[in-house]
Amino acid sequence: MLALTHTPVLVNETIEALAVQPGGRYIDCTLGGGGHAAAILEYSSPGGQLLGIDADSETIRIAQKRLEAYRDSILIIHDNFANLQAICYKYDFYPVHGILFDLGLSSFQLNGDPRGFSFQHEAVLDMRLNPDQELTAEDIVNQLPETELADLIRTYGEEGQSRRIARSIVKERPIRTTVQLARTIEGAVHGKRGRIHPATRTFQALRIAVNHELENINAALRQALNLLGYGGRLVVISYHSLEDRIVKQFMHQESKDCICPPGLPRCTCGHTASLRLVRKKVITPSQEEVELNPRSRSAKLRAAERITNQIINPDEYSKTAERLGSPTQIEAGGWRRPAVLEKLRAEFAASWSR
Ligand SMILES: C[S@@+](CC[C@H](N)C(=O)[O-])C[C@H]1O[C@@H](n2cnc3c(N)ncnc32)[C@H](O)[C@@H]1O
């Protein structure tokens, strides 16, 4: 059974950090249940516009229902935010006043989703946001050699017991369901229970690996920067330290004029700041919010403002977006992207990193 609601995290702080204004133009890269989107649309009315993206077609359907009242002000796209720039050029939706990423998964996905994102509900070990992706969590759990599995669990789950867990998984194979995997992990770390369930970090690691979560965030942040107009705000809410580290490093690096290694006699990087940190410190939920919505307890919000104006050659990206054809399908059952388009996507990614 799917959870019936998803309570958005740090909503007031998000609206404030985005500096939402009437008539503004915003992108919600992680539409989810549409909670933040509804608040942005409310505060940007009259005249506000929102582009909402989500990689999960089930979630898109939920958001469409929830945001029905704003149908004239919102464009909902089923795609991965790693394609952010292509989507915005395709729909001519740039520059924008603000871009939001509320990373991770929604309560709909974590509570009882049949793709097995959570160890608390019996399900198959799938974990793919997009059913067209090839690799499932079951493939990783049952096919990866023990040492590689241990490395994956340590790297993406920051799990100190990764070797012990990988050994037990390999012994127990084949593992087909979330509950079977959770029991195997519980057995492996018997007597070593901490504050969180022993399977939490392993499930996080599998989800990150299956969906290339860290690569997608890295790619999307840089694209987001190019889409912001002067004074536009980038706001990211993350839920674990791997995500937060990427966001923190990106914002800190882009808010510096020189990123040369320390100790060089003079600057050789030629880097100039394109962001200003809105707050030096990370924003976290109040005690009251955590009590009302325990899922918010690990949330960290970072915000930065664009302080430069040059948009990377728009013609180049419009052309790429044209060549990509239709990268997005609203309400479609999945991505039907021909293989040749994958090649174009790679070229596209390489062209803006040059
Ligand atoms: C925490 S939820 C967002 C909740 C939303 N802010 C709300 O108020 O309802 C994160 C959403 O991001 C989506 N998502 C995760 N990775 C994505 C990606 N690479 N591209 C697009 N959407 C993604 C998930 O499917 C999920 O719906």
Side-chain angles (χ1 to χ4, degrees):
M1 253 265 296
L2 288 178
L4 294 176
T5 55
H6 169 88
T7 309
V9 170
L10 291 165
V11 180
N12 294 334
E13 293 82 351
T14 300
I15 297 298
E16 199 181 313
L18 282 170
V20 178
Q21 51 179 291
R25 188 191 256 201
Y26 301 92
I27 305 172
D28 183 345
C29 297
T30 48
L31 193 58
H36 285 106
I40 293 169
L41 284 159
E42 207 52 57
Y43 280 86
S44 61
S45 137
Q49 296 173 344
L50 184 97
L51 169 69
I53 301 170
D54 204 289
D56 183 355
S57 52
E58 272 307 306
T59 295
I60 291 276
R61 268 187 275 282
I62 294 167
Q64 269 172 333
K65 252 197 188 152
R66 165 136 193 211
L67 300 168
E68 175 70 32
Y70 305 99
R71 57 183 311 156
D72 295 336
S73 316
I74 183 166
L75 174 61
I76 297 182
I77 304 293
H78 172 217
D79 205 334
N80 194 301
F81 59 57
N83 301 322
L84 181 60
Q85 197 146 359
I87 297 166
C88 290
Y89 279 104
K90 178 175 162 70
Y91 293 97
D92 211 8
F93 203 89
Y94 68 92
V96 295
H97 295 88
I99 302 181
L100 170 67
F101 292 86
D102 177 23
L103 298 169
L105 296 181
S106 67
S107 309
F108 303 117
Q109 293 157 323
L110 289 170
N111 298 343
D113 188 293
R115 288 166 292 182
F117 293 112
S118 162
F119 50 83
Q120 282 165 340
H121 306 271
E122 175 79 314
V124 293
L125 283 168
D126 184 323
M127 297 198 191
R128 292 171 301 173
L129 273 183
N130 163 19
D132 289 351
Q133 284 162 227
E134 275 183 17
L135 194 72
T136 66
E138 187 179 324
D139 296 332
I140 297 178
V141 163
N142 290 305
Q143 291 174 23
L144 217 57
E146 186 181 320
T147 43
E148 283 175 43
L149 184 60
D151 288 347
L152 185 144
I153 295 171
R154 196 189 57 242
T155 309
Y156 291 148
E158 299 186 290
E159 170 63 69
Q161 306 289 324
S162 61
R163 306 243 158 262
R164 204 186 271 258
I165 291 172
R167 201 175 315 128
S168 293
I169 289 176
V170 169
K171 239 190 194 165
E172 177 73 16
R173 283 171 176 174
I175 297 180
R176 303 285 180 218
T177 70
T178 50
V179 170
Q180 189 189 358
L181 177 60
R183 291 216 178 107
T184 306
I185 297 167
E186 277 172 27
V189 299
H190 188 65
K192 294 189 184 303
R193 261 175 186 273
R195 208 169 40 87
I196 55 171
H197 187 282
T200 308
R201 293 178 186 282
T202 302
F203 271 69
Q204 172 188 306
L206 291 171
R207 205 191 77 200
I208 290 177
V210 167
N211 295 298
H212 306 285
E213 289 186 12
L214 304 184
E215 292 95 317
N216 289 339
I217 297 168
N218 258 316
L221 287 177
R222 192 148 297 279
Q223 297 176 48
L225 186 57
N226 288 331
L227 296 164
L228 287 170
Y230 184 83
R233 297 280 181 96
L234 172 63
V235 174
V236 188
I237 307 174
S238 57
Y239 294 87
H240 57 75
S241 55
L242 293 173
E243 289 171 345
D244 185 52
R245 204 171 300 146
I246 292 174
V247 178
K248 183 179 171 184
Q249 276 172 3
F250 176 78
M251 288 189 177
H252 279 253
Q253 173 164 318
E254 294 310 322
S255 59
K256 279 187 195 153
D257 270 338
C258 167
I259 52 169
C260 286
L264 283 190
R266 64 183 175 81
C267 170
T268 54
C269 68
H271 186 262
T272 51
S274 48
L275 287 178
R276 171 187 79 81
L277 299 182
V278 172
R279 293 247 202 112
K280 288 256 177 322
K281 277 200 170 161
V282 72
I283 297 169
T284 53
S286 63
Q287 188 63 32
E288 199 185 352
E289 176 165 4
V290 175
E291 272 161 28
L292 287 170
N293 179 15
R295 206 187 74 82
S296 70
R297 68 185 177 278
S298 52
K300 287 188 172 154
L301 183 152
R302 295 187 186 270
E305 182 176 294
R306 176 138 187 200
I307 54 167
T308 49
N309 214 1
Q310 78 269 40
I311 294 276
I312 290 187
N313 184 0
D315 287 344
E316 190 180 330
Y317 294 111
S318 319
K319 267 189 245 137
T320 313
E322 246 167 56
R323 279 156 61 218
L324 281 168
S326 173
T328 54
Q329 296 181 13
I330 303 169
E331 274 192 321
W335 294 324
R336 291 189 206 96
R337 208 194 293 275
V340 64
L341 294 181
E342 290 303 326
K343 204 171 144 251
L344 288 175
R345 271 179 73 213
E347 277 174 37
F348 176 42
S351 71
W352 62 259
S353 65
R354 252 176 245 139

